[in-house]
Amino acid sequence: MYQDHEFMQAALLQAKKSLSEGGIPIGSVLVINNQIVARGHNQRVQKNSAILHAEMDCLENAGRLTAAQYQKSTLYSTLSPCAMCSGTSLLYCIPRIVVGENVTFQGPEEYLKSQGIEVRVLNDSQCIDLMTQFIEQQPKLWNEDIGV
Amino acid sequence: MYQDHEFMQAALLQAKKSLSEGGIPIGSVLVINNQIVARGHNQRVQKNSAILHAEMDCLENAGRLTAAQYQKSTLYSTLSPCAMCSGTSLLYCIPRIVVGENVTFQGPEEYLKSQGIEVRVLNDSQCIDLMTQFIEQQPKLWNEDIGV
């Protein structure tokens, strides 16, 4: 379980990379057998994308995995996954999601749990601080990202 | 309501385009104010994509719309949207989804309805025939697309 924090740091690096590019600071990594197999971050600004949330970018970067690979993976995201990213985890039967924080935004975590996905929320202060500052500075961009 | 069939024909053209490219025959269009604003089709084969289902490709092609635009849109798909595409519709509060068929595959339609989305299923024979033939001919590729 200590490793969850380590992998979250890798996701946080992705979030910071996105911020340095002028983008939304949310990052994600996909882990299989204790190895990071893909990394990604929000690409709304960088690729002008409506669908590349951090988790989606990470899963796209992972390539076309087999069902067996998805089914032994853990998805890390610095922020609680929205309905889209939650739905994608359900499509691929990803059994476990580790969430950096769900203070500044909370997706359908209860729905995920009801469908058998394990959701662990770290509420990491670095993740909270990063999003709090970003939302304060760029409220319009943030609202666009969550369809508000 | 007659127009639903007309827009579904446009989605079906996208599905056939994908098949002609060697891809999975599922197509989608997004309609706002009775105008098609974007078209898309499954890109698993063509772009080696794990996330570009027809509806996702269509929404990506639509670009970064405002919340107000999404909230007056209708999403057409030749096949019942999976958990990912359903989740994306929920993220953007798309109020209405028209489904070509849910005979060969059915996504979480009841969940969509419970969240306030109107789901109309046409069960169009052309959509059913196209998927039935495809699943028979390419079961492995089809299973990959739905995470099985």
Side-chain angles (χ1 to χ4, degrees):
Chain A
M1 298 294 266
Y2 171 72
Q3 279 194 308
D4 280 347
H5 291 274
E6 193 180 313
F7 291 132
M8 190 54 68
Q9 284 299 312
L12 194 58
L13 275 179
Q14 287 292 311
K16 290 176 179 171
K17 181 170 181 284
S18 183
L19 190 66
S20 75
E21 295 167 353
I24 299 174
I26 305 170
S28 175
V29 298
L30 187 70
V31 171
I32 299 176
N33 293 337
N34 277 323
Q35 300 273 347
I36 294 176
V37 297
R39 300 160 204 262
H41 59 69
N42 191 295
Q43 300 275 14
R44 182 169 295 273
V45 172
Q46 294 93 321
K47 294 190 175 172
N48 226 21
S49 174
I51 63 169
L52 288 174
H53 275 188
E55 302 90 324
M56 303 298 285
D57 187 48
C58 178
L59 289 168
E60 187 69 325
N61 290 339
R64 292 166 56 185
L65 304 181
T66 64
Q69 287 175 301
Y70 286 120
Q71 286 166 24
K72 58 184 178 182
S73 71
T74 299
L75 183 65
Y76 291 77
S77 177
T78 55
L79 185 64
S80 180
C82 77
M84 171 173 67
C85 301
S86 297
T88 307
S89 304
L90 287 169
L91 168 64
Y92 287 124
C93 304
I94 293 173
R96 187 165 185 264
I97 301 178
V98 180
V99 173
E101 63 109 346
N102 65 2
V103 175
T104 65
F105 172 83
Q106 187 170 348
E109 292 174 9
E110 291 310 314
Y111 180 60
L112 285 174
K113 290 178 195 167
S114 79
Q115 300 298 302
I117 294 188
E118 181 192 341
V119 180
R120 183 183 181 202
V121 181
L122 302 180
N123 276 336
D124 176 284
S125 63
Q126 294 175 86
C127 293
I128 296 171
D129 290 350
L130 192 63
M131 279 310 291
T132 302
Q133 286 170 35
F134 174 75
I135 293 169
E136 201 174 291
Q137 287 163 9
Q138 301 252 40
K140 202 176 156 190
L141 182 56
W142 170 237
N143 283 340
E144 182 193 330
D145 204 51
I146 51 171
V148 177
Chain B
M1 300 293 266
Y2 169 72
Q3 280 193 305
D4 280 345
H5 291 274
E6 193 179 316
F7 291 132
M8 190 55 66
Q9 284 298 313
L12 194 59
L13 275 179
Q14 287 292 311
K16 289 177 180 173
K17 181 170 181 285
S18 182
L19 190 67
S20 75
E21 295 166 353
I24 299 174
I26 305 170
S28 175
V29 299
L30 186 70
V31 170
I32 299 177
N33 293 337
N34 277 322
Q35 300 274 345
I36 294 176
V37 297
R39 298 160 206 262
H41 59 69
N42 191 295
Q43 300 274 13
R44 180 168 298 272
V45 171
Q46 295 94 321
K47 294 190 176 171
N48 225 22
S49 174
I51 64 169
L52 288 174
H53 276 186
E55 301 90 326
M56 303 298 285
D57 187 49
C58 177
L59 290 168
E60 187 69 323
N61 290 340
R64 292 166 56 185
L65 304 181
T66 64
Q69 287 174 302
Y70 287 119
Q71 286 165 24
K72 59 184 177 183
S73 71
T74 299
L75 183 63
Y76 291 78
S77 178
T78 55
L79 185 64
S80 180
C82 77
M84 170 173 68
C85 301
S86 297
T88 308
S89 304
L90 287 168
L91 167 65
Y92 287 125
C93 303
I94 293 172
R96 185 163 186 266
I97 300 178
V98 180
V99 174
E101 62 109 347
N102 66 1
V103 174
T104 65
F105 172 83
Q106 187 170 348
E109 291 174 9
E110 291 310 313
Y111 179 60
L112 285 173
K113 289 178 195 166
S114 77
Q115 300 298 302
I117 294 187
E118 180 191 341
V119 180
R120 184 183 182 203
V121 180
L122 303 180
N123 276 336
D124 175 285
S125 64
Q126 294 176 87
C127 293
I128 297 171
D129 291 349
L130 192 63
M131 278 311 291
T132 302
Q133 286 171 34
F134 174 75
I135 292 169
E136 201 174 290
Q137 286 163 9
Q138 301 250 40
K140 202 176 157 190
L141 182 56
W142 170 238
N143 283 340
E144 182 194 330
D145 205 51
I146 51 171
V148 176

